[in-house]
Amino acid sequence: MPVAASAIYFLNLRGDVLINRLYRDDVGGNMVDAFRTHIMQTKELGTCPVRQIGCCSFLYMRISNVYIVIVVSSNANVACAFKFVVEAVALFKSYFGGAFDEDAIRNNFVLIYELLDEIMDFGYPQNLSPEILKLYITQEGVRSPFSSKSSDKPVPNATLQVTGAVGWRREGLVYKKNEVFLDIVESVNLLMSSKGSVLRCDVTGKILMKCFLSGMPDLKLGLNDKIGLEKEAQLKSRPTKSGKTIELDDVTFHQCVNLTRFNSEKTVSFVPPDGEFELMKYRITEGVNLPFRVLPTIKELGRTRMEINVKVKSVFGAKMFALGVVVKVPVPKQTAKASFQTTSGKAKYNASIDSLVWKIRKFPGQTEATMSAEVELISTMGEKKSWNRPPIQMEFQVPMFTASGLRVRFLKVWEKSGYNTVEWVRYITRAGSYEIRC
Amino acid sequence: MAPTVPSPAKSASPSQPSGKSEVADLKQQLRHLAGSRAPDADDQRRDVFKRVISCMTAGIDVSAAFGEMVLCSATSDVVLKKMCYLYVGVHARNHPDLALLTINFLQRDCRDQDPTIRGLALRSLCSLRVPNLVEYLVTPLATGLKDPNVYVRMIAAVGAAKLYHISATACLDADLPAALKALMLSDPDAQVVANCLHALQEIWTLEASNSEAAAREIETLYSKPVVFYFLNKIKEFSEWAQCLVLELASKFLPSDNNEIFDIMNLLEDRLQHANGAVVLATIKVFLHLTMSMTDVHQQVYERIKAPLLTLVGAGSPEQSYSVLCHLHLLVMRAPMLFSSDYKSFYCQFSDPSYVKKLKLEMLTAIANESNTYEIVTELCEYAGNVDVPIARESIRAVGKIALQQYDVNAIVDRLLQFLEMDKDYVTAETLVLVKDLLRKYPQWSHDCIAVVGNISSKNIQEPKGKAALIWMLGEYSQDMHDAPYILESLVENWEEEHSPEVRLHLLTAVMKCFFKRPPETQMALGATLAAGLSDTHQDVHDRALFYYRLLQYDPAVAECVVNPPKQAVSVFADTQSTEIKDRIFDEFNSLTVVYQKPSYMFTDKEHRGPFEYSEDLTNLTVGAEATENVISAQRYQENDNDLLLSTSDKEDNGTATNNGSSASSYNAPSDLIGPPLLSSQTPSETLLINPGGPTNSLQSNFSLDDLLGLGAPEAPAAPPAPALTLNSKPVLDPGTFQKKWGQLALSLSQECSLSLQGAASLMNPQSLIRHMQSNFIQCIASGGQPPNYKFFFYAQKDGATVFFLVECIINTASAKAQVKIKADDGTAADAFSALFQSALSKFGLS
């Protein structure tokens, strides 16, 4: 049984039930009390998202200020259950228009009950696609294709498509201007040792797409990845062009992508859903271009003073620039005050996270910036508590740069009416977990 | 199921509407609206209904308004209907008489011209869960299954399963399973098919225990035509239904290798699916299909590595945790396949601690000659972690790696550096490790002792660490210059030492020291024994008394009891049996993997532990404490398992029961001479546990020994087989088997014969595998078709690391077997061959 969830609860941080939906009889109505007494009110919270209490297992996750708890009494499929919660939240967000929190739930609880009925029946996940559900569950109320009210606004057989095979797109869409937006979003994860050697580094990227296309278009996407290029060269029997090719470690696709064709021809072809969706995800571990180098020196001068010097170098193209650069340098708890000198940006001491926070709004490529800080510590009596230095963390965004070097080579759109489309491509690289030990 | 009847205290919560007056008010308004034909009546009703539902969610009992709600439900507004259905579904069970009122309008809605209404009504009708209304349910369900609209059919399919739970006989009498099956195999819509499969699996699995027919139906579900029917249209299914189909496929037993490859080719692209649950389900299919093909199985591991690592890195921490648990399982099964990926398991500072813990375990498992240096360096970084439990875990991990490796030189240095970090918990953990390390590698004692000697026992608070330090002081008192004086000062503070464990160790350590350096220790020994004798703790008192008498009897005997020459520990006690591990693997992609225990341990009643949920809240709180204790006790056990250990826990349990049965038996503290060593239990140590000293008969000595579980590795009363005894639970993974098979020379090759009955009963490989298992010969792979079968077996000589590997080709037509044996120790091959043949010839006779 993939999930067979017995119940789903939405709780706020105090443990009040915002929504509960019991799908099966096999758990008692007071399961939520068990969750409160055993997980929320003890230190167990945060130790593990899957916990067994009595005969039931609780799978829970926190999203903003809400706990979503799935209760199962059988040997459930955990991955499926968590994925279900994530998808359900995405669905709710698309209904509420962005935010998912306690207030949004309180304001929309009738809608959520309606949706919970549709997306899961007797504990089995059903259709969670917002595209389809929005056809017959709307915020104004149910728009039934058969009721007389909606006759002025014909909806192409909603219930027929509820379960249809091309579940992600409905027919008969018309746009005046046919546009496709492609965003390549990469996050760089780095773990660098205090000696400056890279311990671990990878890029997880995703291609987000926003389609405003009429009819049933067929799209084909070409990237500069190694396998795709080689296959193409082989098909057209011409040598691979020199230039950088990217080796993708692993790729996953949105369900609209024809995987059989990807495996045989190495091309990404698909009929896209309408609106915004995540086309593919990939992971790269080889040949990552790190956008920033960080060189910290930290000197502890006696017990009450520290000297911190951080130099950050941008190593991407000189014409590009990074936005929203934040460098967080951890300092001991007993920090009293800190004075700074920076070549650019502003720095201050944030006591709530025990860190020096250095912000640079705009950071051009091929430049460097330094911050030197003098930190005064409150001298503590008694045993010396040696300070274990947590890593320096960094946040940034670099538009028009991909750490992997991935580029879109082409995006072709075919539709039987043969309209012209406008394609927009953007690249952006963000910091994932960018950690430098010091 | 309804929320429980709320207690007054609960509904008084300030943020929520308060109880009775609110309900009365709502009733009033509903009654007022019931007959209203005003144009905005529906909007008003919506508002009131919303308030009713929100009260219900908050736990207020609104069942009093049931009649009014039903009256208001006669409306064409779908939102109103839905709210009303929800309300009725929640309250019907507690008010079966009132539920009858709703049947009418639900039945009418089931015949509505709008399929959405039909579907909703049918779903609500099935959700009433009132047994005496079943008669009204069967007809709409049966019609629903034949409805022209998919939405209705989809709901009806699940409805059949709901009906089965309310009344199994009603469901079976109406022949709904047959209708579901027909629908499953013919419906054009994928979701309807999937829901039929859900329902059928559930009905037949539950029914299988009472009816043969249902059991057969279950088998047809897993038969080739059905499985291939589903697999061929897998792309039509939604991602969730794909998980279901893949789960079905993982239970399919292919008849030959071509089928296996067909399925794998068909499903390979599923590994690229964006939904992690689909990927995991696919992995399960691959792993289970290839179990019998060692080399392909290994390739599968290589293939699934990348998708798994991607899944770990993507999604929320909870999602990556669920994947990581599976990765953990695979890593533990075949560590060497992951040894080059060690960097993927480095912890990030921001990882939650449950993720870090799994990663640490994986790093420990995959450490080998090539990556130990990097891994240990990384682990040392974590030792300074802010999160103390993780810091502890990482120190333990370093220790575990040290105990696995042959070249521990560098690791010992690292461990010793930990001692200089001067943090209480780091020092304590490290001391425990150094102690274990010394028990395995006594040759390192010089380096360690030098550092350990500098540690002041005053700085160590934790009993485990302190006990370890004291053990070392006693064991190496000849090398540590001031050992007697440190011990003496510890004895002086006897009263302040709260942990009996430490006091016990102190007793033994002073004794050991006394035998090595009598003149310097004599004083301290006297003081120790005196303190011990007046100790309030039973074990401490008894041990002191025992030492005292022993010394009185004969100091020489005392010495060989307390301070016998020790053998280095060579073998780890494995905490989980192979059988359990295999069961966990069988239940891949479920909670089993997360809990690391087979499902019967957490779903069956008898294993659930002391406490069941009852509707009564007072019970709940009492029971709650009970479980909490159990859980924390378990945790404690898990965390504090010494590295070389786990026998001590068993022994404690053993003695506890033992105590009850025989009044005279002595409660032996298991760690009399340091924690017990599984394989180096010397006779003199056993003697120590003996209650009445040397006068007691040897017989009782051994029986006690057995009760204590110390005889674990001993072969169970084996049949008078050849002089060779086999380990009853050998552990060998396919990878190692293959390596060994490649490396070892052929020891023996011969032909032998099976009994005719045996040959006749060998219809499938399983029967022989089970038979050989009962003779402690394990099968690692099997295959073939009648009349030719091929098996690979292995067995292990009891108490030794010698493995025997066997290739056995059986022709059932001629009742002959070709046997090839390879052995780590060629001299034992003959004995094993005899044993193997005798086992084989007995097959089919019993």
Side-chain angles (χ1 to χ4, degrees):
Chain A
M1 282 180 242
V3 177
S6 300
I8 184 164
Y9 289 99
F10 293 69
L11 306 175
N12 68 9
L13 296 185
R14 280 189 315 187
D16 297 334
V17 181
L18 302 173
I19 300 266
N20 66 343
R21 184 77 181 84
L22 296 143
Y23 289 107
R24 285 176 173 245
D25 280 348
D26 49 4
V27 296
N30 55 8
M31 282 329 286
V32 67
D33 297 314
F35 180 77
R36 275 193 289 249
T37 39
H38 292 280
I39 299 175
M40 289 190 78
Q41 290 168 10
T42 59
K43 284 181 185 160
E44 299 297 337
L45 205 63
T47 51
C48 180
V50 183
R51 293 264 289 122
Q52 182 196 358
I53 303 171
C55 56
C56 294
S57 294
F58 291 79
L59 317 174
Y60 63 93
M61 60 200 297
R62 184 180 158 175
I63 290 165
S64 76
N65 54 359
V66 178
Y67 286 108
I68 302 180
V69 188
I70 285 196
V71 188
V72 295
S73 65
S74 57
N75 187 16
N77 180 336
V78 190
C80 197
F82 280 130
K83 180 72 182 169
F84 174 81
V85 173
V86 170
E87 291 284 306
V89 170
L91 172 70
F92 297 150
K93 276 185 182 165
S94 83
Y95 267 94
F96 308 157
F100 177 84
D101 53 22
E102 190 180 343
D103 289 338
I105 293 176
R106 284 197 192 277
N107 295 335
N108 293 286
F109 74 94
V110 173
L111 176 71
I112 295 181
Y113 273 123
E114 274 184 54
L115 288 173
L116 284 177
D117 262 348
E118 291 300 327
I119 60 179
M120 192 172 252
D121 198 1
F122 207 41
Y124 298 124
Q126 306 284 313
N127 196 342
L128 270 91
S129 155
E131 302 304 312
I132 299 303
L133 286 169
K134 276 183 179 166
L135 288 180
Y136 65 106
I137 296 180
T138 62
Q139 269 188 306
E140 301 86 56
V142 169
R143 195 195 291 158
S144 166
F146 294 85
S147 71
S148 51
K149 276 187 200 163
S150 56
S151 59
D152 49 330
K153 241 193 201 172
V155 177
N157 344 328
T159 37
L160 261 185
Q161 286 200 4
V162 168
T163 58
V166 186
W168 57 85
R169 190 177 180 89
R170 63 193 153 101
E171 285 181 42
L173 291 166
V174 181
Y175 287 97
K176 246 184 216 164
K177 196 175 173 189
N178 289 294
E179 284 181 302
V180 187
F181 297 86
L182 259 183
D183 277 351
I184 299 194
V185 182
E186 297 197 332
S187 41
V188 205
N189 300 308
L190 169 75
L191 183 60
M192 191 177 269
S193 77
S194 49
K195 296 184 186 77
S197 61
V198 175
L199 291 173
R200 209 193 126 177
C201 173
D202 61 58
V203 171
T204 53
K206 50 189 173 186
I207 301 187
L208 301 174
M209 223 172 175
K210 215 187 261 180
C211 285
F212 302 110
L213 296 172
S214 313
M216 278 287 187
D218 220 327
L219 272 65
K220 199 169 158 186
L221 175 73
L223 301 167
N224 62 339
D225 65 304
K226 201 174 168 189
I227 307 169
L229 283 174
E230 273 170 10
K231 190 77 188 179
E232 192 172 297
Q234 187 190 324
L235 284 175
K236 293 181 182 164
S237 61
R238 65 166 184 230
T240 325
K241 274 184 222 147
S242 58
K244 197 173 175 190
T245 58
I246 310 299
E247 203 171 339
L248 302 173
D249 277 33
D250 188 46
V251 204
T252 59
F253 294 105
H254 185 269
Q255 53 170 339
C256 69
V257 174
N258 186 333
L259 293 175
T260 327
R261 231 161 120 191
F262 175 76
N263 280 334
S264 59
E265 297 165 29
K266 302 292 168 201
T267 52
V268 183
S269 58
F270 53 99
V271 179
D274 193 38
E276 207 174 329
F277 70 102
E278 188 180 290
L279 176 68
M280 62 181 270
K281 273 194 285 218
Y282 55 90
R283 191 169 51 91
I284 291 166
T285 48
E286 297 298 322
V288 176
N289 313 313
L290 293 173
F292 286 101
R293 290 248 157 209
V294 181
L295 310 162
T297 41
I298 296 182
K299 278 187 220 151
E300 289 179 55
L301 309 167
R303 280 195 181 187
T304 56
R305 244 161 42 83
M306 281 171 72
E307 239 178 51
I308 296 175
N309 211 309
V310 182
K311 186 192 279 181
V312 179
K313 276 187 191 170
S314 59
V315 284
F316 46 86
K319 285 179 188 161
M320 292 186 271
F321 50 84
L323 297 174
V325 178
V326 180
V327 185
K328 286 181 194 157
V329 187
V331 287
K333 263 197 162 12
Q334 65 268 29
T335 300
K337 63 171 187 180
S339 55
F340 301 94
Q341 274 185 325
T342 55
T343 56
S344 62
K346 276 182 185 164
K348 62 180 180 195
Y349 165 58
N350 185 334
S352 64
I353 53 169
D354 295 317
S355 300
L356 307 180
V357 182
W358 176 25
K359 291 184 181 169
I360 305 157
R361 203 168 295 151
K362 197 167 168 181
F363 201 129
Q366 302 295 345
T367 56
E368 60 179 63
T370 48
M371 171 194 79
S372 31
E374 219 164 89
V375 178
E376 281 178 39
L377 308 174
I378 302 162
S379 63
T380 44
M381 303 297 287
E383 101 273 34
K384 61 161 185 183
K385 261 229 167 129
S386 68
W387 173 59
N388 45 59
R389 301 173 173 178
I392 292 181
Q393 287 175 310
M394 203 172 162
E395 293 165 20
F396 54 80
Q397 299 189 7
V398 191
M400 299 321 288
F401 171 80
T402 50
S404 63
L406 196 74
R407 284 278 179 269
V408 171
R409 290 190 303 126
F410 59 83
L411 176 69
K412 293 175 187 160
V413 181
W414 283 282
E415 218 281 334
K416 48 179 186 285
S417 62
Y419 52 73
N420 288 323
T421 47
V422 187
E423 294 113 33
W424 305 87
V425 182
R426 282 192 302 188
Y427 302 92
I428 191 164
T429 293
R430 292 192 182 126
S433 118
Y434 211 81
E435 295 179 352
I436 298 100
R437 288 181 181 153
C438 49
Chain B
M1 152 94 48
T4 42
V5 182
S7 57
K10 201 171 160 190
S11 49
S13 162
S15 69
Q16 290 155 8
S18 61
K20 285 213 173 105
S21 59
E22 172 92 15
V23 177
D25 181 40
L26 285 169
K27 266 177 85 163
Q28 181 73 38
Q29 289 191 28
L30 282 168
R31 204 170 296 153
H32 176 71
L33 282 170
S36 162
R37 296 226 173 270
D40 62 341
D42 271 353
D43 290 339
Q44 289 181 24
R45 283 194 198 116
R46 270 198 197 184
D47 285 341
V48 182
F49 272 36
K50 267 191 196 174
R51 277 168 57 201
V52 172
I53 304 283
S54 80
C55 287
M56 194 173 83
T57 307
I60 297 168
D61 184 13
V62 286
S63 61
F66 200 98
E68 285 77 7
M69 285 291 282
V70 176
L71 283 176
C72 278
S73 64
T75 167
S76 59
D77 187 85
V78 188
V79 178
L80 272 183
K81 267 191 198 299
K82 282 192 182 176
M83 285 197 265
C84 189
Y85 292 157
L86 177 71
Y87 174 87
V88 170
V90 169
H91 287 288
R93 206 158 124 118
N94 295 1
H95 305 273
D97 44 334
L98 287 171
L100 197 59
L101 293 174
T102 62
I103 288 288
N104 225 343
F105 78 74
L106 282 173
Q107 273 191 322
R108 200 185 53 222
D109 282 350
C110 280
R111 294 188 297 270
D112 198 285
Q113 56 151 353
D114 180 348
T116 322
I117 305 279
R118 286 205 300 276
L120 288 173
L122 188 57
R123 185 189 288 150
S124 312
L125 202 56
C126 297
S127 308
L128 292 181
R129 289 175 271 206
V130 182
N132 54 6
L133 297 184
V134 162
E135 48 181 313
Y136 302 101
L137 214 80
V138 177
T139 328
L141 262 181
T143 8
L145 285 174
K146 297 191 194 85
D147 198 283
N149 191 288
V150 281
Y151 185 68
V152 184
R153 289 204 301 277
M154 183 175 104
I155 287 169
V158 181
K162 292 181 190 167
L163 175 63
Y164 179 83
H165 280 271
I166 307 167
S167 162
T169 45
C171 179
L172 298 174
D173 289 348
D175 220 11
L176 289 179
L180 283 173
K181 191 177 173 188
L183 201 58
M184 176 179 86
L185 296 174
S186 63
D187 202 284
D189 185 87
Q191 189 64 48
V192 176
V193 174
N195 282 2
C196 287
L197 180 57
H198 273 303
L200 281 177
Q201 271 192 333
E202 194 158 343
I203 294 174
W204 280 333
T205 312
L206 291 169
E207 195 60 25
S209 51
N210 344 334
S211 126
E212 285 259 321
R216 270 199 305 280
E217 291 288 2
I218 281 281
E219 267 172 34
T220 32
L221 269 188
Y222 301 141
S223 69
K224 186 176 168 181
V226 179
V227 170
F228 274 74
Y229 162 75
F230 279 112
L231 287 179
N232 282 324
K233 48 194 284 179
I234 193 159
K235 291 185 183 111
E236 296 168 28
F237 289 102
S238 73
E239 45 196 327
W240 317 104
Q242 288 188 12
C243 295
L244 176 74
V245 171
L246 290 166
E247 182 68 32
L248 181 80
S250 73
K251 292 191 183 122
F252 171 63
L253 294 172
S255 56
D256 61 38
N257 289 358
N258 286 339
E259 271 178 33
I260 296 178
F261 290 120
D262 281 350
I263 296 178
M264 299 217 302
N265 285 333
L266 196 64
L267 295 180
E268 176 150 27
D269 57 12
R270 293 299 109 191
L271 291 174
Q272 246 110 39
H273 201 284
N275 187 327
V278 173
V279 178
L280 272 183
T282 313
I283 289 175
K284 179 175 184 178
V285 176
F286 279 29
L287 288 174
H288 282 202
L289 283 179
T290 55
M291 280 299 270
S292 58
M293 302 188 283
T294 320
D295 47 338
V296 186
H297 196 65
Q298 201 155 330
Q299 285 167 16
V300 168
Y301 271 86
E302 294 291 344
R303 175 68 185 83
I304 62 183
K305 230 195 276 180
L308 276 174
L309 290 173
T310 309
L311 283 177
V312 169
S316 63
E318 291 85 1
Q319 280 175 290
S320 62
Y321 171 71
S322 64
V323 179
L324 209 55
C325 288
H326 288 87
L327 195 57
H328 179 264
L329 175 73
L330 297 177
V331 166
M332 293 301 162
R333 278 180 82 85
M336 67 280 193
L337 291 182
F338 293 87
S339 54
S340 55
D341 301 288
Y342 61 92
K343 284 192 177 169
S344 313
F345 305 128
Y346 282 1
C347 298
Q348 273 159 24
F349 189 69
S350 48
D351 280 341
S353 59
Y354 51 83
V355 167
K356 281 185 184 155
K357 191 163 179 272
L358 283 179
K359 285 187 172 173
L360 286 178
E361 284 174 26
M362 289 193 274
L363 282 174
T364 316
I366 59 177
N368 64 10
E369 290 86 358
S370 60
N371 59 17
T372 298
Y373 180 78
E374 282 86 0
I375 291 182
V376 171
T377 311
E378 183 67 14
L379 287 172
C380 292
E381 289 280 344
Y382 308 148
N385 202 298
V386 231
D387 187 352
V388 175
I390 290 301
R392 284 174 187 273
E393 286 289 340
S394 37
I395 297 168
R396 278 183 212 154
V398 174
K400 273 188 206 165
I401 293 176
L403 290 169
Q404 285 166 9
Q405 300 288 316
Y406 298 100
D407 177 31
V408 288
N409 197 341
I411 305 183
V412 173
D413 286 346
R414 302 287 179 84
L415 274 179
L416 297 179
Q417 276 169 19
F418 285 153
L419 293 178
E420 288 158 15
M421 280 173 65
D422 212 17
K423 269 189 201 161
D424 184 28
Y425 58 89
V426 175
T427 314
E429 286 294 341
T430 313
L431 282 173
V432 175
L433 284 177
V434 171
K435 177 201 72 184
D436 284 333
L437 211 57
L438 287 179
R439 286 163 64 204
K440 185 164 179 184
Y441 308 104
Q443 65 270 29
W444 288 102
S445 60
H446 264 291
D447 301 72
C448 298
I449 292 312
V451 183
V452 170
N454 293 334
I455 296 172
S456 162
S457 59
K458 288 187 192 72
N459 293 344
I460 307 164
Q461 300 306 321
E462 287 177 37
K464 287 247 173 219
K466 206 162 185 176
L469 178 66
I470 292 172
W471 183 84
M472 284 186 272
L473 285 170
E475 194 62 35
Y476 297 97
S477 42
Q478 74 278 19
D479 304 323
M480 288 160 99
H481 184 64
D482 46 2
Y485 310 105
I486 300 174
L487 287 172
E488 196 172 339
S489 70
L490 283 165
V491 172
E492 277 166 20
N493 295 323
W494 185 275
E495 296 295 323
E496 286 145 42
E497 188 49 64
H498 296 294
S499 158
E501 187 191 355
V502 176
R503 300 203 295 271
L504 283 170
H505 272 283
L506 192 52
L507 264 175
T508 312
V510 175
M511 281 289 276
K512 284 183 195 163
C513 190
F514 171 70
F515 292 119
K516 285 166 186 158
R517 296 160 75 172
E520 291 159 287
T521 325
Q522 200 171 7
M523 286 275 287
L525 181 64
T528 315
L529 289 176
L533 284 172
S534 58
D535 200 283
T536 49
H537 193 271
Q538 189 70 47
D539 288 349
V540 181
H541 169 81
D542 287 2
R543 194 187 285 192
L545 191 62
F546 171 57
Y547 283 164
Y548 178 68
R549 299 247 166 94
L550 207 54
L551 285 170
Q552 263 187 333
Y553 174 76
D554 183 354
V557 172
E559 175 162 16
C560 75
V561 168
V562 179
N563 196 25
K566 282 186 193 63
Q567 238 178 299
V569 187
S570 56
V571 190
F572 282 93
D574 206 336
T575 39
Q576 242 174 9
S577 76
T578 339
E579 195 197 333
I580 299 261
K581 282 182 191 159
D582 284 345
R583 284 195 78 141
I584 295 177
F585 188 67
D586 282 343
E587 294 173 346
F588 194 83
N589 200 14
S590 68
L591 279 172
T592 302
V593 179
V594 177
Y595 292 147
Q596 298 181 12
K597 55 189 177 188
S599 60
Y600 69 84
M601 292 173 89
F602 58 91
T603 53
D604 284 7
K605 278 212 167 71
E606 55 272 28
H607 290 95
R608 264 179 211 160
F611 141 74
E612 278 279 320
Y613 272 99
S614 63
E615 298 287 309
D616 188 8
L617 277 173
T618 49
N619 258 353
L620 184 85
T621 38
V622 176
E625 278 160 24
T627 1
E628 206 135 68
N629 291 340
V630 171
I631 291 167
S632 60
Q634 274 172 354
R635 289 214 152 195
Y636 179 76
Q637 236 176 31
E638 277 164 21
N639 291 345
D640 283 326
N641 268 352
D642 264 359
L643 288 179
L644 292 165
L645 48 51
S646 74
T647 35
S648 60
D649 293 330
K650 285 182 210 143
E651 274 173 295
D652 280 344
N653 298 340
T655 32
T657 45
N658 182 19
N659 239 356
S661 60
S662 121
S664 68
S665 73
Y666 172 82
N667 191 354
S670 55
D671 35 16
L672 213 45
I673 331 180
L677 314 180
L678 188 61
S679 60
S680 66
Q681 201 68 44
T682 62
S684 55
E685 280 174 309
T686 323
L687 219 147
L688 247 185
I689 307 167
N690 195 332
T695 46
N696 251 21
S697 74
L698 201 66
Q699 180 94 44
S700 80
N701 187 355
F702 275 126
S703 66
L704 183 62
D705 189 357
D706 266 353
L707 275 171
L708 293 176
L710 290 171
E714 227 161 278
L724 176 77
T725 33
L726 297 177
N727 185 345
S728 60
K729 289 206 173 71
V731 183
L732 191 67
D733 59 294
T736 329
F737 184 93
Q738 227 185 356
K739 213 163 92 190
K740 274 184 186 284
W741 188 261
Q743 285 167 351
L744 293 173
L746 192 65
S747 310
L748 244 156
S749 168
Q750 59 196 144
E751 191 169 272
C752 60
S753 54
L754 265 75
S755 69
L756 287 174
Q757 295 96 315
S761 61
L762 187 62
M763 298 305 288
N764 59 3
Q766 295 307 324
S767 53
L768 181 64
I769 292 171
R770 271 193 293 275
H771 171 75
M772 295 311 270
Q773 259 167 8
S774 64
N775 289 295
F776 308 136
I777 297 167
Q778 311 292 327
C779 179
I780 198 150
S782 66
Q785 274 187 320
N788 287 310
Y789 290 102
K790 190 171 180 180
F791 297 87
F792 284 98
F793 292 104
Y794 68 94
Q796 188 182 17
K797 189 175 173 182
D798 192 31
T801 51
V802 177
F803 276 99
F804 301 98
L805 314 181
V806 187
E807 182 197 79
C808 176
I809 301 167
I810 296 179
N811 184 302
T812 48
S814 61
K816 290 270 187 262
Q818 271 290 340
V819 182
K820 284 183 188 162
I821 298 175
K822 295 184 179 186
D824 281 342
D825 173 11
T827 54
D830 280 324
F832 176 74
S833 160
L835 195 116
F836 185 83
Q837 286 185 25
S838 88
L840 196 63
S841 62
K842 280 185 209 134
F843 174 65
L845 292 180
S846 51

